[in-house]
């Protein structure tokens, strides 16, 4: 993978991680179009996902500091309850990552038919959420598990993680800004953990990997900067209820991917 390919794919990841159009699906499509397919695509994907996780931390730094401060008061307050809900939401994706790791990795092979089909599902979910009346609730404990199941389903390339989790929260009647906040914060620990494990594996077996470190660094920086911008943008989009535009986009790209497969 050249540095220009890493730059383009990093920008794609940063923008599409937060916009509800599936970053993994776009990375697969971009890899095919750029002919950047290799056995190290998963390593690159994990690296740029780490970058967007750090971008999330940068955007929500005040929220995270406040949460940590309240949690270490060791009281059953609003922040500790929110943290408990975040932990609950991580259980489904943890189960998938532990027991289906090999099957997940096998999906990242530039299968445009799969990506296109999953983009159509993402578009349908966004469209369904759009016609749901605006809710006023916060995320509950049962809701956290349901949203977590949506996140686990989003390991499939073409299923948008932010799109599926935000749409699920909206369908459950969660208020828009709270749905976006929960969606972006719930992914931090799973992404950080998976990224660190993959990078450790890379450093221990670097001879077995063909991808250059410079490509990883360029992709990381591109994903962080574009992700920071897209995260702030997406919060405004969810509040303004503009998800239908992304549903249409997913339908168009999904159909194109299926035709091109």
């Amino acid at each position: 993978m050249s540095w220009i390919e890493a730059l383009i794919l990093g920008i794609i990841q940063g923008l599409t991680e937060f916009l509800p159009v599936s970053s993994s699906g776009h990375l697969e499509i971009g890899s095919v179009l750029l002919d950047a397919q290799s056995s190290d695509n998963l390593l690159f994907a994990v690296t740029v996902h780490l970058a967007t996780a750090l971008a999330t931390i940068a955007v929500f730094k005040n929220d995270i500091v406040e949460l940590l401060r309240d949690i270490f008061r060791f009281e059953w307050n609003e922040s500790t309850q929110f943290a408990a809900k975040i932990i609950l939401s991580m259980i489904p994706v943890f189960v998938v990552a532990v027991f289906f790791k090999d099957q997940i990795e096998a999906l990242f092979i530039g299968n445009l038919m799969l990506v296109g089909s999953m983009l159509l599902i993402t578009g349908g979910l966004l469209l369904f959420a759009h016609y749901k009346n605006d809710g006023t609730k916060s995320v509950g404990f049962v809701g956290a598990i349901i949203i977590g199941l949506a996140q686990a389903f989003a390991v499939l390339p073409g299923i948008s993680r932010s799109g599926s989790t935000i749409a699920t929260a909206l369908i459950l009647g969660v208020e828009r800004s709270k749905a976006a906040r929960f969606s972006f914060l719930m992914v931090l620990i799973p992404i950080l953990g998976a990224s660190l494990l993959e990078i450790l594996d890379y450093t221990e077996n670097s001879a077995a990997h063909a991808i250059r470190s410079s490509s990883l660094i360029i992709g990381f920086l591109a994903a962080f900067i574009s992700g920071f911008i897209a995260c702030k943008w997406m919060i405004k989009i969810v509040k303004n209820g503009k998800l239908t535009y992304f549903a249409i986009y997913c339908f168009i790209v999904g159909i194109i991917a299926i035709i091109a497969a």
Side-chain angles (χ1 to χ4, degrees):
M1 181 182 293
S2 68
W3 71 268
I4 189 64
E5 291 169 342
L7 177 65
I8 294 172
L9 292 176
I11 293 173
I12 290 174
Q13 161 63 25
L15 293 176
T16 59
E17 172 65 23
F18 298 104
L19 302 181
V21 294
S22 177
S23 59
S24 60
H26 279 73
L27 279 178
E28 287 295 283
I29 294 172
S31 296
V32 172
L33 293 177
L34 295 171
D35 194 24
Q37 292 291 310
S38 78
S39 60
D40 292 296
N41 273 2
L42 184 61
L43 173 63
F44 182 82
V46 169
T47 300
V48 292
H49 272 84
L50 172 60
T52 48
L54 294 178
T56 305
I57 292 175
V59 172
F60 288 97
K61 60 182 182 300
N62 293 334
D63 297 69
I64 294 171
V65 169
E66 182 179 352
L67 277 173
L68 292 175
R69 184 176 61 243
D70 289 348
I71 288 171
F72 284 105
R73 290 175 180 172
F74 301 105
E75 299 174 355
W76 188 241
N77 52 40
E78 184 178 347
S79 293
T80 52
Q81 291 178 40
F82 185 85
K85 294 168 189 175
I86 291 290
I87 293 172
L88 277 177
S89 73
M90 295 189 303
I91 293 175
V93 76
F94 175 79
V95 172
V96 170
V98 170
F99 295 102
F100 301 99
K101 182 176 183 293
D102 293 339
Q103 291 87 337
I104 293 170
E105 291 183 1
L107 298 174
F108 288 82
I109 55 173
N111 186 340
L112 292 185
M113 178 63 72
L114 173 63
V115 172
S117 300
M118 295 302 102
L119 279 170
L120 294 182
I121 293 176
T122 295
L125 186 59
L126 292 173
L127 199 61
F128 185 76
H130 172 74
Y131 289 105
K132 176 73 169 60
N133 293 331
D134 288 351
T136 57
K137 300 190 301 184
S138 298
V139 177
F141 286 98
V142 174
I145 296 176
I146 296 173
I147 297 170
L149 290 171
Q151 177 172 246
F153 187 50
V155 300
L156 297 173
I159 297 294
S160 167
R161 192 210 63 80
S162 63
S164 61
T165 54
I166 290 174
T168 300
L170 295 178
I171 292 170
L172 292 174
V174 177
E175 193 269 325
R176 289 183 174 274
S177 61
K178 293 178 180 178
R181 179 173 180 260
F182 190 84
S183 171
F184 292 147
L185 291 178
M186 69 184 286
V187 74
L188 286 179
I189 296 177
I191 289 296
L192 289 173
S195 300
L196 291 175
L197 288 175
E198 190 69 23
I199 290 172
L200 284 174
D201 177 71
Y202 172 77
T203 57
E204 293 175 359
N205 304 281
S206 58
H209 297 275
I211 193 167
R212 292 181 295 180
S213 297
S214 59
S215 296
L216 291 176
I217 294 172
I218 291 171
F220 178 92
L221 292 175
F224 178 85
I225 295 170
S226 59
F228 182 86
I229 296 170
C231 184
K232 285 183 168 292
W233 186 28
M234 184 58 188
I235 294 171
K236 295 180 181 178
I237 290 172
V238 174
K239 288 181 179 179
N240 294 330
K242 303 296 185 182
L243 295 178
T244 48
Y245 300 114
F246 295 101
I248 295 170
Y249 174 84
C250 287
F251 287 139
I252 293 173
V253 176
I255 292 171
I256 293 173
I258 292 172
I259 294 174

